[in-house]
Structure formats: C-alpha cells, structure tokens
Amino acid sequence: QVQLVESGGGFVQAGGSLKLACVASGTIFTIHDMGWYRLAPGKQRETVATLDSFGNTKYLDSVKGRFTISRGNTGHTVYLQMNDLKPEDTAIYYCNIVARERQWNSPQSYWGQGTQVTASS
C-alpha cells in the first residue's frame, strides 16, 4: 500500500507564503505523475499544479507565477510553494500521485488526506 502524508497548510494574511509537502511511503516501485488539487466550499475540485516523470509542469491559470510544484531529491516527496496567496486560494489542498507498487502492477492513483490553506484579506 502507498500512503501520502501532507503538511504545511495553515493560515496566512493575503500576500503571504506557504509551502506544502506531501511524502509518499509504503511499497513504491516508481512514481509517474504528481500533483496538487484543491477543493473550496461550493466549488468544484481544481487541478492546481502537476508534474510528470519527465519534469513537465502545468499550472492552473490563476496560480501561474505564484505557485511552484517541485519534487524532492528522494523522488517520493512533492512540494507546492505558494507565494502571494490570495483569499480565493483558500481551500483544502490534496496531493495526488500516480504510482506502481511493483514492476508488474498497473499505475494507480493515490490521494493524501488534505491540508487546509486559508488566506485572509
């Protein structure tokens, strides 16, 4: 089994910064894609940022230039550096990875438990 543990959420004033971390543990043969998603009350889930195994990144238009997704040196950690936070960034942020537990397994999607980010005006 693969477990994801997130950290780094919290409360900041608008314009502040937070850095989210998501550590994957358990039986992992390889991680293909990693990403951060968010869910705000009354809104649909949004794909905030993704990072594939080739290092390609994609960002939600509203966070471009403010958020940066990156992968840790061990390859089992994904970060989301969030700068210039705005009230509309307030949401629960979830990390996701697509990984294979063993070489012969098909890739599976795994989710973290979520971490609250609140940016107050």
Side-chain angles (χ1 to χ4, degrees):
Q1 269 290 4
V2 176
Q3 297 85 37
L4 302 182
V5 177
E6 301 159 357
S7 62
F11 178 96
V12 295
Q13 296 291 326
S17 298
L18 287 172
K19 186 173 185 177
L20 305 182
C22 175
V23 180
S25 62
T27 304
I28 300 173
F29 172 71
T30 189
I31 296 176
H32 296 281
D33 302 323
M34 311 177 95
W36 289 93
Y37 299 75
R38 68 187 184 189
L39 184 62
K43 296 184 178 180
Q44 291 187 331
R45 186 181 70 187
E46 295 181 304
T47 303
V48 178
T50 60
L51 173 64
D52 68 19
S53 57
F54 300 101
N56 300 309
T57 58
K58 292 184 180 180
Y59 294 94
L60 183 67
D61 283 346
S62 64
V63 309
K64 286 179 181 178
R66 299 188 296 122
F67 291 11
T68 303
I69 188 171
S70 62
R71 191 164 179 170
N73 290 335
T74 64
H76 287 189
T77 303
V78 60
Y79 300 99
L80 184 68
Q81 176 67 47
M82 305 184 293
N83 297 328
D84 189 23
L85 281 159
K86 305 177 184 300
E88 51 265 39
D89 295 318
T90 296
I92 299 175
Y93 284 70
Y94 298 89
C95 72
N96 172 267
I97 68 168
V98 176
R100 283 190 283 166
E101 294 189 26
R102 292 178 174 82
Q103 185 175 4
W104 54 86
N105 290 146
S106 299
Q108 299 290 325
S109 179
Y110 301 92
W111 291 89
Q113 80 284 359
T115 185
Q116 177 71 46
V117 170
T118 303
S120 176
S121 60

